[in-house]
């Protein structure tokens, strides 16, 4: 019995081995994609929490540069890293559940421009906040927030 | 036997009913089109209307009071069994089934308002007036609950409209007319009592104050 099995395996090795290797690779890729999806989900939630805190501080009328700037710096850092959260293969083509639309990769230039807009508006917010003009900071925070919405409209699946 | 034209719905109930329908419709449209400031105003309007209805349900005219139309399951089932009986005369207010649909609609709309108060959108930009009381994660859950419950509310509204249509087509009872002009033709006048203008004013003032207070984040 064993010898006929080993003959069977050897005869079909040309098929069996590649299938095993590709499956293992597929599992690895899927695992990598899931990690990327989970990581960016956490990053975006942290950005949302930062924006919420920034808006609440500005709305309360008690905001100072000292309390605002750390949160603004966090969002600026995140916005700059944002494109790196979308490695190839971590989109809907991965077959995994993600809010990212295929356009993130198919319209990559536009995606980078949308991120650049956010970075620019956040840099302006940082400037205004560090000079202490809280009324202007509130306005710029609103403008920066609109960059979030604009990118989501094109690149994020609606909830 | 001649039918008598009887007032069954007072004007506060009628104004409440159509205003709530309009406010919910406006809230829906503003949410769909991203007009979040008007959406919040619609929410405050719904909050005020619900507050008025709760007050009216204990202090208003006979047909508006919850005690007059909320019935136990046996009564509701018995009424349901006679739905196709066209010889049964029309009710002098909410029937036992209609009464429960009122409760379901008010409760679901109320839940929508409460969740909306704490809701935060996906980028932490647009949020309800009490969202500062909760974390981003809780605010997101409130927002997702708010969206999910709305599907339930739409289902209930569809059921309500289907019921009105059923009454019109199958039972030959027009429910829309009375909710517009307040009158129904009945075999005899049940002698409903309606509340004074002073009480209406009190309800409106209380409801408006609550809605305004909510809009300011319940600041003391």
């Amino acid at each position: 019995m064993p010898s006929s099995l080993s003959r069977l395996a050897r005869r079909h090795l040309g098929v069996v081995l590649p299938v095993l290797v590709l499956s293992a690779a597929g599992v690895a890729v899927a695992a990598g994609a899931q990690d990327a999806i989970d990581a960016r989900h956490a990053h975006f939630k942290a950005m949302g929490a930062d924006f919420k805190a920034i808006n609440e501080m500005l709305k309360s009328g008690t905001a100072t540069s000292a309390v605002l700037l750390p949160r603004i710096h966090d969002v600026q850092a995140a916005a700059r890293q944002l494109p790196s959260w979308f490695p190839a293969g971590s989109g809907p083509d991965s077959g995994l559940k993600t809010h990212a639309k295929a356009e993130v990769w198919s319209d990559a230039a536009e995606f980078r421009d949308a991120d650049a807009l956010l970075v620019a508006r956040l840099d302006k917010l940082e400037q205004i906040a560090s000079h202490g003009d809280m009324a202007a900071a509130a306005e710029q925070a609103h403008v920066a927030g609109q960059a979030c919405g604009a990118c989501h409209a094109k690149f994020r699946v609606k909830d | 036997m001649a039918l008598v034209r009887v007032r069954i719905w007072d004007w506060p109930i009628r104004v409440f009913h159509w205003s709530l329908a309009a406010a919910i419709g406006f809230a829906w449209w503003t949410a769909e089109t991203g007009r979040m400031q008007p959406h919040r105003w619609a929410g405050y309007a719904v909050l005020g209307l619900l507050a008025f209805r709760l007050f009216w349900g204990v202090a208003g005219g006979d047909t508006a009071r919850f005690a007059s139309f909320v019935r136990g399951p046996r009564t509701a089932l018995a009424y349901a069994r006679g739905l196709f009986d066209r010889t049964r005369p029309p009710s002098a207010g909410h029937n036992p089934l209609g009464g429960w649909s009122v409760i379901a609609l008010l409760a679901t709309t109320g839940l929508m308002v409460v969740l909306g108060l704490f809701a935060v959108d996906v980028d932490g930009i647009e949020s309800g007036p009490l969202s500062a009381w909760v974390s981003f994660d809780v605010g997101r859950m409130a927002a997702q609950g708010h969206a999910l419950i709305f599907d339930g509310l739409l289902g209930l509204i569809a059921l309500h409209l289907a019921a009105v249509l059923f009454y019109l087509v199958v039972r030959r009872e027009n429910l829309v007319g009375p909710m517009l002009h307040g009158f129904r033709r009945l075999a005899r006048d049940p002698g409903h009592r309606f509340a004074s203008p002073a009480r209406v004013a009190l309800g409106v003032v209380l409801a408006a104050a609550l809605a305004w207070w909510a809009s300011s984040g319940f600041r003391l």
Side-chain angles (χ1 to χ4, degrees), chain A residues 44-45 47-49 51-52 55-56 59 141-142 145 148-149 152 156 158-159, chain B residues 31-32 120 122-126 129 131-137 140 144 219:
Chain A
F44 277 117
K45 280 174 89 167
M47 274 180 87
F51 260 115
K52 180 176 184 286
N55 284 324
E56 281 163 9
K59 200 172 148 189
H142 182 73
C148 303
H152 286 161
R156 185 181 185 269
K158 211 166 180 232
D159 278 321
Chain B
E32 287 295 315
V120 175
V122 68
D123 34 39
I125 309 294
E126 297 284 356
S131 59
W133 294 11
V134 297
S135 69
F136 179 74
D137 283 341
R140 288 299 298 141
Q144 281 151 3
R219 220 159 288 172

Side-chain angles (χ1 to χ4, degrees), chain B residues 16 21 70 163 206:
Chain B
F16 160 78
V70 176
L206 287 174

Side-chain angles (χ1 to χ4, degrees), chain B residues 15-96:
Chain B
V15 169
F16 160 78
H17 174 273
W18 298 111
S19 302
L20 185 67
I24 291 175
F26 186 65
W28 187 13
W29 175 72
T30 48
E32 287 295 315
T33 55
R35 292 166 161 86
M36 294 317 286
Q37 186 49 57
H39 181 72
R40 282 186 287 266
W41 292 333
Y44 303 138
V46 172
L47 193 157
L49 286 166
L50 289 178
F52 176 81
R53 183 65 184 92
L54 286 179
F55 170 77
W56 213 235
V58 296
D62 284 350
T63 53
R65 295 202 183 196
F66 300 127
S68 79
F69 63 77
V70 176
R71 294 282 172 266
R74 250 187 301 203
T75 316
L77 274 170
Y79 180 84
R81 264 183 240 120
L83 270 176
F84 287 88
D85 172 14
R86 265 191 234 145
T87 65
R88 182 169 67 187
S91 309
H94 283 309
N95 64 63

Side-chain angles (χ1 to χ4, degrees), chain A residues 93-133:
Chain A
D93 52 342
S94 67
L96 300 167
K97 208 177 129 195
T98 174
H99 278 101
K101 284 184 171 171
E103 279 82 341
V104 168
W105 294 269
S106 63
D107 295 351
E110 216 183 306
F111 184 66
R112 275 196 304 273
D113 286 346
D115 178 61
L117 181 68
L118 176 64
V119 168
R121 289 185 178 181
L122 287 172
D123 287 348
K124 190 167 173 198
L125 175 63
E126 203 250 0
Q127 262 185 350
I128 296 173
S130 53
H131 284 112
D133 185 349

